[in-house]
Structure formats: structure tokens, C-alpha cells
Amino acid sequence: MTDDEAVRRCQEGDREAFRHLVEAYKSPMYGTALLMTGNPALAEEHVQDALLNAWRGIRRFQRGRPVKPWLMRILVNAVVSQQRRRSFTTVSLDESLPVGAPGDDTETVENRQVLREALSQLSPEHREVVVLRYFADLSVAEVARSTGVREGTVKSRLHRALRQMRELLEQSGVMEVAGNDA
Amino acid sequence: MMRNDSPDPEMERRLRDHFVEEAQDLQAPDDLWDRLESRLGEQQAPRFALLRGALSWTAERPGLAAAAAAVLVVAIGVTVWGLPGQDPALDDADEAATTAASTTTTTATTTTSSVGTTTTADSDSTTTTTQLAVVADDDASEDDAAGDATAETTQSSARVVDTPSTTQATEPATTPTTTPPSVATPAPTPAPPVVTPPAPRADSGSSGTSDDAAMDDSDGMSIADDGMESDGMADGDYDDPMDDGMDADGMEDGMDAPAAAPSPPAESEEPAVRQPPPATTFQDYERTGFVETSVDAVSTFSLDADRTSYFLALNWARNGYTVEPDSVRAEEWINAFDYSYAHPTDDRSFAITGDVVRHPLDADLHLTRIAFQAPEFRDETPLNVTLVLDASGSMAAGNRVAIARTAAEAIRGSLGPDDRIAVVHFTTAVIDQYTVEHSAPGDEDVVWSIGRLNAHDSTNVQAGLDLGVELADAARRERPDAFNYIILMSDGVANVDATDPFAILESAEDTDSRNPLRLITIGVGIENYNDYLLEQLAQHGNGWYRYLDDTEQARETFSRENWLALSTPFADQTRAQVTWDPSVVRSWRIVGYENRVTPDHTFTQDRKEFAELPAGTATTVFYELELHEGAGIPRRFGNVEVRWVEPASGESRSQTTAVTDLAGVSFDGRGDLLRLGAIVGLAADRYSRLSTQVEGQEVDAASVRADLETLRGELDALSSRLGSTEAYRDFAFLLDALIEAAEALAPASGYSR
């Protein structure tokens, strides 16, 4: 079933078609929420809330448009509005994710740790665009639509986030110091 | 400073690889669907069945930009302060609603009028009857003449109210039939128009204020960034004027997936974008949509005498902020203005008026205005007042403490010798040494305590209200014949103990419903402000909610004359139900009232979340109507019934009136104040559609902007008669700010008209 077909059937009230969309996109949504919040329980709550809202709003969804950015936008709204409403403390990603499977190469595990640490040190706005761009694999335009800011702002945030992460990785020796000041 | 930096492809690759490696740990739980499905089952089962009718209605109209949207039904099923749990199961009919951006409908042209009145008796309540004011005009020229006659006298009538007007009839309440709109008598308090320039105020936020610091802390935003963001640019801006200087050339190709999106316009070509105030909290409510009368002819809602949303928006615009669309509650904008309705002839009834006029934004629609005017009277009942004052650190920003102290002192000074007043200060906990139990208003301890208000540590609203309720309850037991008010003054930024309004209310529960404690919330502040908390505390705490933006307004709002009116309750738990005639009205949509709409079956229940109205207040509601073609003339559009509990007697009362009027009267053929109210309500309603919190809703910003510009033109048409009033000038300024913001607040692009 294509996404478009699933949307059409959802708009007629077909719950199985909605399940098709949920299964297709639940992991990128959950991963995004987890990376944004650092809290598995909260991440699932956000994903569920977002999917409920999507089901409620799918009648208004214009067929032919890509589904994933739409779902991501709903998800980001859910996460951000919750962050605005609560005094929000970000759980360290180190605490919430398992560190490597048995038998993993030690150096890889260390690198992953450093990258997680670098991600967790980004501001929420910067982490949000990094996750949507490189984990959820949205285009800059789609990230802009998902977060409600302009494309120029997304690019600026990505640029600064990457620079900050590079600096952290360089300091920790995971990346070689670049030959210029980029 | 580096400009045109290259992207960092190596860092990008590392990140992508990292996420691939992490993918296993970021997998959604296998049973997510199972848990989700149970929630879908709770909420969604009836919706699609009910929507079929609505969808078939929209399907006949290919021009509709938006299809069905559910009417919000407030379904907060909690028990607070004696509030009965609300049935979460919504009325079927209330769920079926459609939103139409444009509709094809009939055009009605009629030139006669009549009045209709019906009365129904409530078996367990006293019933009174009021004849609906119907104004009908035989032709436009007669209206013009009426309008001209009104011109000179209404100039001071279009003022923003903080107290009930003492003016008598301007727009007719019980005038039978063919009378043109009656002429206003001048409002009694024509304060000289003061144009407030949109200049920054003391509480305005620029980077570096304590509000900003508070926001940064709470958000954990303490990044060591490059020089760009430290150049005074707050992180998290909607817009960063430096962006394109850095990115436009170098970033575009490398950062974007190839051909993923068109190049953005150079930012220098875009207008400067204002920002919403930071760290503010609002609740966005789902838009109401058009409802076919064949599906549901009944609309039930709580009345609302609050007007905070309007003054909050005005204050933001004056301070250079964008108005948060989430914060806009159209009913509070409408009710911020004084329309000088006729007052009822007795002290136990409302004067209910109804008017129908062509819609200024859509030639195929009509607007109906229904107004409920409470009587103006004085009550000798003494008062027990408990001031609960926020002395937390966030109150240090701007002039919040000064406003709260001024308001507290004004209230104290407005009390009579038989009244009693207590004072509680709270920060992280109650400041015991400042607590004064109920005493005479002139007691020196009271004066001293109010004067000690200052800003300290964290905010524990719960602790403050817990003690406030305890003191108020003790005073009530001691003086059972007094009315009881608890007045909370705060920015709402609760961060210690309970921070949710319902948890706070549950903690400070009022167990005596016969003579309730009435919780009035007074908001102060611009940034770092929690509108949601303060509004909900008042709505579910048997009270009302005001916003004060300076000490002058604080003094004026609680002047003795105003306080006497505000502190005299006329109606508790007030709600209305409109039943449209399906043979005349094809579909209807309520403007605003999103969080006041309530399931039809609750109409017969006295519920605490329904509105408490002080004496003399007026509530106005507008409906957008699609009429059937060829309906008879004159028309009886339906009935409106209002129900309430009389505070002094505890008696349930109701009053019913027919909505009868002409159709087809042009917008400029009606009175100035009706038109002003329609413009205000529609502007708020359309602007609130820009909310980015409405999940899944595509925002047609261009359409919103076009509507706002049309409304600006309609407002201009009133300038010769109302333009000298402060209220008109304030609103014109605010409307311009909305127009400016309309595009900037919308999602970037990609949505068609």
C-alpha cells in the first residue's frame, strides 16, 4: 500500500490503513522524540500523542504530499509545546541509551559515547534540527516546515550545531583538528 | 567574523553514520500500535461516522479549502473545588463540524422585519422572559441616516471596558420591529483619548533582561557559541538577520539534499520579523468549524466576561512583540469593548439582543450577534477578600511588583467598613511574617503587608493558594453572609510543587458550593508569563481573569466605583444554548469560544466551570451563518436560552428568546458598534488560525492576511465616527500589528492558497 493510498483510506476511517502508516514511521518518530527529549517514556508519550493528533487531523491532510514531514511536524509540535509547558530538564542521552552491544569494538563504543555527549550538549533548538536533518533524514525545507522556522534559520542552526560538535569532537580527540578555522 | 563558511561534510557524514549505528537503540517499541489503538478506540470511534454528513456537504463544494474540523468540546474531567467531573464523552452532534474557507450558499435579500419571542419554562427554576431586540431596516438609506445620527454620540462609547458601563441603550434591546438602530447616549466616562505609542515599556524584553536569563536557564540553553549568537541575538529566534549573511551562498548546496527545496529568498528581501515574547505559556484550542444544522442545530457554550487575551495582545504589540496566535481568544477580544447595550428592566434578568448582518469577509455568509447584558445594581452584601500575592523572583521583571502592589492597594482602598481583607505573600513557600488574617480594610497591618510586596525566590502558587483558601474558608465560616473573593496576583510562572491549574485547585479545594470562594486571577508581565494557568484557575475557580499592563490600569480597574460593580456577582455558572432553525440556517459556526463550547447535555447542569458574571457585564457572541436559499421573510433564525444560578438565592434561572431578524442587510447598513465588534471578533478569529500548535492543520497565511486587510478597510470606514476613541486607536494599532505578523508567523512555505 502506498502512503497516498493509506491516507485516502484513513480519510475514510480505515484504521488498518493508519496502522500501515504508524508501522512505517513509528521508528523515525520515536527515535526523533527520544533524541530530542532523552527520555524513552516521554518519547513514546509524544509519539502516541502525535499519532493521535495525526489520526484526528488526517481528514485535512492533502493527498499527494509527503506523509513523513507532516508527521514529524506534528511530533515536533507535541515535543516543543510540552517543553514550553513544563520546566524541562533534558536527560543525558548517556543515561537513556545502552552503550554498545557486547563484542563491539571498544573504539567505536567510545566514539559513540563522545558523539552522544556532543549531541546532548547542543541547545534544544540545535539538537532538534540536527536530529530531524541527519536522523529523520528530512530536507532543510522539511525541517523548516516541521519546526516552524524559516529555511535560513534552519541552515544557520545546522551550521552552528555542526561547528560546536566538531569542536567537541576535536577536543576529545575523536576528530582531527581541521587545518583551517572552518 | 567568518562569512560564507563551507558546510562540514565530514561532520555530516559522522552524524549520519552515528545515527545508523544508534538506529537499533532508537527503534520504537514493537507494541506501540497496540497501546495506540486502545487510545484511538477511546476517542475516535464516532467521529468518522458523524463526519460523513459533513464531508458530503463539503464534497459538494469543490472550492472548500478545508474540510471537516471538530468542534472543541471542553472535556476536562476533573473534580476541583467541587467541580463535577465533566463527561468526557462528547455529544455526538457537537463533534461533527466542518471548516470552510469559502462556501457557496444562498443569497438572501429581504427588506422587512419582525420580532419574535418565545419563552420556555424550566421545571425547576424561575423563568423570566425578555423580548429579543430586533433591528430591521427597510433600506440602506434609513440605516445611513441612523448611522449618521449615531456618529456624534458614539464616539466615547467605543471604549474598552473594565467595568460595566453605566450607559443606557445605544443599540436596541427590546425595540420592536422596524425601528432603525437607536442612537447611543454618550457614555459617561469619556476619558480623553490617549494614544499609546508602540514604544518599549519597562517590562519589554530585550536580551539581557532577567526574563531572558530565566528562560535560558530553564531551557538549559547555555551554549558556548560562535560570535554570531552572542551579538545580541537570542538563541531560538524565529528569525535571525545574520542567517543569510552566513549561509546563503556557502551553505545552500552542501547542506540541503540536492533539489530538496527551492532556494529561499534572500532574507534581505523579507520584512523584518518580530518575535513572540519568550517563555510564555498558552493553551491552543482546536478551531471550531461550520456545523450543518441537519447534523446538529444546537450550540451550547459558557458565557465569558474575561478580556485578558485582548489586553495581553495589545501590550505585546506595544512592546514590539508578535502576538502569539495561541493566546488569542476571540471572545475575550470581543468582550473587551463596550457596545452600550440596553440594560434589562429588572435586576433578575438579562437583556438579550440579536442582530443579523451580511458577513464582511464572505458575500455568501451572514453574521449573527447575540448579546447578553446583565443588570447594573449594587448589593450591600459585605465581602471577605483574600489577597494572594506572588512575591517570586520572576515578578522582579519590569514593573510587575509595582502593578500588583498598586492593584492590591486599590482593592483595599475600595473596600467598605463592613468588608474584611487578608494578605498572603508567597515565593517558594508562604512568607509567614507578611501574612495578615482578615482584618478591616484600614488596619495598619494590611497596609504594611501590601507595601512589603517584593520579588524573592521561586514560585509556589499552590502554597499561596492553599493558605489563601484556608484563610478565606475561616472568614466564610465566621461571616457566612459575605461574598468571598480570593484574588491571586501573579505572572503565573509556577515552578514549585503543583504547577498545573487543576492540581493546584485540587490542593486548594473549596468544599462549600453554597457560598463559593471566587478565585479572581490578575495577570502581570509580558515575557515569562503563563496565561494558561491563570485563565484556567479563574475559569474553574468560580471567578474571572484580568490582565494589568501598568499601575495606572491597576488603579483604574480597581477604583471604588469599578470594584463595587466587579465585586457584585449577578450570575454564576452562566451558559447559553442556541438552537438554529434548520429550515432557515443551513450551517453555523461560532466565532471564538473554543474553550467555552460545551456538550449540549451539560446545559441543564449547574457546573462550576461555567461563567461567573459580575453585575453590569455584557457578553457578546458572533456566529457565522450559511442560510438556505429562498427562506421566508422575515426570518426566525432560532432560539437562544441562557441559564444561570443566582448567587444571592442559589436559585437556578433561565431565560429564552427567539432570534428573529432580517437577512441580507449589508454590513455597512448596521450600527457602528455592531460592526466594530464583528471586525474585532473576526480579526481575532482569523489571526488565531496561524497557530503553529494546531497539529496537522495547514495554515493559509495569505488568506488570513487578506482577511485581516479587508477588516482593516472596514475599520477605516468607522474612523470618522469612532476614530477619536482610545479603544478604536488601540485596536487599529493592534490590527496593523496582526497584519504585519500574519505572514511571518506562518510556516515557511509550501502551502497553497
Side-chain angles (χ1 to χ4, degrees):
Chain A
M1 190 184 334
T2 66
D3 282 1
D4 206 31
E5 172 67 8
V7 168
R8 186 189 63 74
R9 285 171 52 180
C10 286
Q11 290 176 339
E12 293 168 355
D14 183 342
R15 193 174 288 183
E16 272 307 303
F18 188 61
R19 180 176 188 167
H20 171 86
L21 294 177
V22 169
E23 295 299 340
Y25 295 112
K26 70 178 184 183
S27 282
M29 291 178 78
Y30 175 78
T32 299
L34 181 53
L35 288 166
M36 287 173 70
T37 64
N39 181 327
L42 198 56
E44 182 175 348
E45 186 184 320
H46 286 320
V47 171
Q48 288 215 17
D49 288 347
L51 288 168
L52 274 177
N53 282 326
W55 173 244
R56 212 179 282 149
I58 203 160
R59 293 169 282 109
R60 297 190 294 261
F61 184 75
Q62 191 174 331
R63 280 183 230 158
R65 289 182 183 277
V67 173
K68 187 176 173 185
W70 175 65
L71 291 174
M72 286 300 182
R73 180 179 169 202
I74 298 172
L75 176 70
V76 170
N77 277 344
V79 175
V80 171
S81 64
Q82 184 80 1
Q83 285 173 336
R84 288 176 57 189
R85 199 158 298 148
R86 288 184 180 178
S87 176
F88 186 80
T89 39
T90 305
V91 176
S92 166
L93 297 178
D94 293 341
E95 296 168 13
S96 57
L97 295 177
V99 183
D104 274 1
D105 180 76
T106 307
E107 188 181 333
T108 306
V109 171
E110 281 178 5
N111 289 353
R112 283 172 68 179
Q113 277 283 60
V114 172
L115 263 161
R116 284 180 187 176
E117 180 63 28
L119 265 175
S120 70
Q121 290 193 21
L122 296 178
S123 70
E125 287 79 9
H126 287 178
R127 187 161 60 239
E128 175 182 275
V129 293
V130 164
V131 168
L132 290 172
R133 180 81 178 99
Y134 302 113
F135 171 72
D137 208 26
L138 299 185
S139 71
V140 168
E142 289 169 342
V143 173
R145 195 180 300 174
S146 296
T147 53
V149 301
R150 295 178 316 119
E151 290 181 35
T153 306
V154 172
K155 289 178 185 173
S156 171
R157 288 180 181 176
L158 283 173
H159 183 83
R160 291 166 183 165
L162 293 187
R163 178 185 292 185
Q164 186 185 351
M165 291 191 72
R166 169 177 275 280
E167 286 171 4
L168 289 166
L169 265 56
E170 286 174 352
Q171 285 166 15
S172 61
V174 172
M175 276 181 88
E176 290 182 9
V177 177
N180 54 46
D181 61 355
Chain B
M1 183 178 296
M2 287 295 299
R3 302 186 77 83
N4 298 325
D5 284 357
S6 298
D8 190 339
E10 186 189 355
M11 195 64 234
E12 288 188 293
R13 181 188 57 74
R14 286 228 178 203
L15 268 170
R16 290 187 197 279
D17 290 348
H18 173 73
F19 285 133
V20 169
E21 289 170 7
E22 299 274 73
Q24 193 59 41
D25 296 330
L26 298 171
Q27 289 287 320
D30 290 338
D31 56 354
L32 186 144
W33 169 259
D34 297 332
R35 288 195 289 276
L36 177 67
E37 191 177 27
S38 64
R39 293 180 67 186
L40 288 176
E42 288 168 15
Q43 299 193 15
Q44 296 299 111
R47 189 179 297 269
F48 282 100
L50 286 161
L51 281 166
R52 281 191 196 109
L55 287 170
S56 66
W57 178 75
T58 58
E60 294 165 9
R61 293 158 178 78
L64 294 185
V71 171
L72 165 80
V73 179
V74 178
I76 302 166
V78 294
T79 303
V80 288
W81 280 28
L83 168 71
Q86 190 162 342
D87 186 354
L90 311 182
D91 272 9
D92 284 355
D94 280 318
E95 286 206 3
T98 58
T99 301
S102 64
T103 54
T104 56
T105 91
T106 62
T107 300
T109 52
T110 60
T111 54
T112 60
S113 63
S114 71
V115 177
T117 301
T118 61
T119 305
T120 59
D122 193 15
S123 59
D124 59 356
S125 65
T126 306
T127 301
T128 60
T129 307
T130 297
Q131 191 175 37
L132 173 69
V134 177
V135 180
D137 308 299
D138 288 339
D139 55 50
S141 62
E142 211 173 281
D143 260 331
D144 289 344
D148 290 341
T150 310
E152 293 183 2
T153 57
T154 55
Q155 290 198 356
S156 59
S157 299
R159 62 192 167 84
V160 179
V161 287
D162 261 309
T163 63
S165 166
T166 54
T167 312
Q168 289 301 310
T170 294
E171 297 189 354
T174 56
T175 313
T177 65
T178 56
T179 312
S182 58
V183 176
T185 54
T189 55
V194 177
V195 181
T196 308
R201 291 188 172 193
D203 203 354
S204 67
S206 56
S207 53
T209 64
S210 58
D211 279 352
D212 282 339
M215 182 192 70
D216 285 348
D217 286 342
S218 65
D219 288 347
M221 289 157 46
S222 56
I223 56 171
D225 218 325
D226 58 29
M228 303 299 292
E229 287 191 344
S230 61
D231 287 347
M233 294 300 302
D235 194 30
D237 291 350
Y238 275 66
D239 189 11
D240 182 340
M242 302 299 281
D243 281 350
D244 274 357
M246 285 181 52
D247 304 327
D249 297 323
M251 298 288 285
E252 179 92 62
D253 296 335
M255 299 297 282
D256 245 339
S263 299
E267 290 202 13
S268 57
E269 295 171 10
E270 296 183 8
V273 180
R274 303 209 239 187
Q275 306 159 36
T280 47
T281 304
F282 304 97
Q283 179 71 35
D284 185 44
Y285 297 94
E286 197 169 352
R287 303 279 93 77
T288 55
F290 273 89
V291 180
E292 280 190 285
T293 47
S294 60
V295 176
D296 178 8
V298 181
S299 169
T300 309
F301 61 97
S302 165
L303 270 61
D304 185 3
D306 293 347
R307 67 275 319 251
T308 294
S309 168
Y310 177 79
F311 288 106
L312 204 48
L314 183 61
N315 205 21
W316 283 339
R318 283 172 171 168
N319 284 282
Y321 289 111
T322 299
V323 175
E324 275 268 15
D326 283 358
S327 78
V328 174
R329 294 183 288 273
E331 67 276 16
E332 295 185 20
W333 288 44
I334 295 166
N335 289 325
F337 293 79
D338 180 359
Y339 304 105
S340 297
Y341 298 120
H343 282 228
T345 52
D346 68 82
D347 286 349
R348 299 190 73 193
S349 305
F350 285 95
I352 306 174
T353 61
D355 300 276
V356 179
V357 65
R358 279 193 180 282
H359 199 298
L361 298 176
D362 189 330
D364 294 329
L365 299 180
H366 282 71
L367 273 181
T368 292
R369 179 186 72 176
I370 301 172
F372 307 86
Q373 174 68 56
E376 182 94 47
F377 61 90
R378 294 285 181 267
D379 191 309
E380 300 303 319
T381 306
L383 306 177
N384 295 327
V385 174
T386 307
L387 297 177
V388 179
L389 307 177
D390 184 347
S392 66
S394 60
M395 292 287 285
N399 51 357
R400 298 175 194 203
V401 165
I403 295 172
R405 201 189 291 139
T406 304
E409 179 56 28
I411 290 170
R412 188 198 65 79
S414 295
L415 297 177
D418 293 336
D419 299 332
R420 293 291 175 267
I421 181 170
V423 188
V424 172
H425 296 228
F426 67 93
T427 61
T428 309
V430 167
I431 306 177
D432 289 331
Q433 65 266 36
Y434 293 161
T435 299
V436 180
E437 296 185 9
H438 283 87
S439 311
D443 187 287
E444 61 183 19
D445 285 348
V446 173
V447 178
W448 172 84
S449 178
I450 291 173
R452 292 287 80 72
L453 180 62
N454 223 319
H456 306 275
D457 305 315
S458 302
T459 316
N460 191 333
V461 174
Q462 182 184 342
L465 276 182
D466 280 353
L467 179 58
V469 167
E470 187 183 323
L471 293 178
D473 191 43
R476 176 173 54 186
R477 281 198 300 273
E478 193 175 318
R479 302 184 345 134
D481 295 333
F483 287 133
N484 301 281
Y485 288 97
I486 297 173
I487 303 177
L488 170 67
M489 298 192 194
S490 176
D491 53 22
V493 185
N495 51 23
V496 177
D497 278 355
T499 57
D500 173 83
F502 299 105
I504 291 172
L505 285 171
E506 201 162 13
S507 164
E509 185 177 3
D510 175 20
T511 53
D512 184 351
S513 60
R514 291 165 303 171
N515 183 14
L517 306 182
R518 301 165 187 278
L519 177 56
I520 298 170
T521 54
I522 307 294
V524 292
I526 297 175
E527 299 174 352
N528 203 16
Y529 182 83
N530 191 331
D531 170 79
Y532 170 68
L533 177 71
L534 295 174
E535 198 238 355
Q536 290 295 301
L537 284 176
Q539 181 173 344
H540 295 278
N542 237 328
W544 37 265
Y545 170 34
R546 287 288 188 283
Y547 176 77
L548 301 176
D549 67 357
D550 59 24
T551 52
E552 180 61 31
Q553 194 184 20
R555 266 188 288 270
E556 189 179 320
T557 299
F558 296 111
S559 69
R560 180 161 178 80
E561 182 189 6
N562 288 352
W563 171 252
L564 285 176
L566 285 170
S567 62
T568 303
F570 165 68
D572 285 342
Q573 303 168 32
T574 319
R575 64 277 187 190
Q577 187 165 74
V578 182
T579 305
W580 300 107
D581 183 342
S583 69
V584 178
V585 178
R586 174 180 288 181
S587 64
W588 55 271
R589 174 182 178 273
I590 190 168
V591 177
Y593 287 86
E594 282 93 351
N595 70 341
R596 303 281 174 168
V597 171
T598 182
D600 296 336
H601 69 82
T602 64
F603 183 62
T604 55
Q605 303 166 3
D606 294 333
R607 290 183 172 222
K608 211 164 193 172
E609 71 266 28
F610 296 147
E612 283 66 45
L613 302 181
T617 49
T619 296
T620 302
V621 59
F622 283 90
Y623 282 90
E624 295 178 296
L625 299 182
E626 182 193 20
L627 304 181
H628 280 296
E629 199 164 6
I633 309 169
R635 300 172 187 213
R636 182 173 161 281
F637 293 84
N639 288 336
V640 55
E641 180 179 5
V642 58
R643 286 184 181 233
W644 71 98
V645 174
E646 197 172 63
S649 65
E651 192 177 299
S652 294
R653 297 179 62 83
S654 78
Q655 186 175 330
T656 302
T657 303
V659 181
T660 307
D661 198 359
L662 292 175
V665 176
S666 65
F667 189 67
D668 57 9
R670 287 298 197 203
D672 292 344
L673 297 180
L674 186 155
R675 289 157 65 189
L676 176 66
I679 293 166
V680 170
L682 290 171
D685 178 68
R686 297 305 193 258
Y687 184 78
S688 68
R689 291 180 180 177
L690 290 176
S691 168
T692 55
Q693 301 294 314
V694 184
E695 294 86 351
Q697 176 162 317
E698 297 190 356
V699 179
D700 186 349
S703 169
V704 170
R705 194 175 69 254
D707 281 353
L708 293 176
E709 284 168 350
T710 301
L711 293 168
R712 187 66 174 89
E714 295 291 349
L715 189 68
D716 285 342
L718 299 175
S719 66
S720 63
R721 295 183 293 279
L722 303 179
S724 63
T725 62
E726 180 183 1
Y728 178 96
R729 291 187 188 187
D730 281 349
F731 178 66
F733 164 69
L734 181 55
L735 183 52
D736 287 340
L738 299 188
I739 292 169
E740 183 188 320
E743 190 166 18
L745 269 177
S749 61
Y751 296 121
S752 61
R753 291 202 63 171

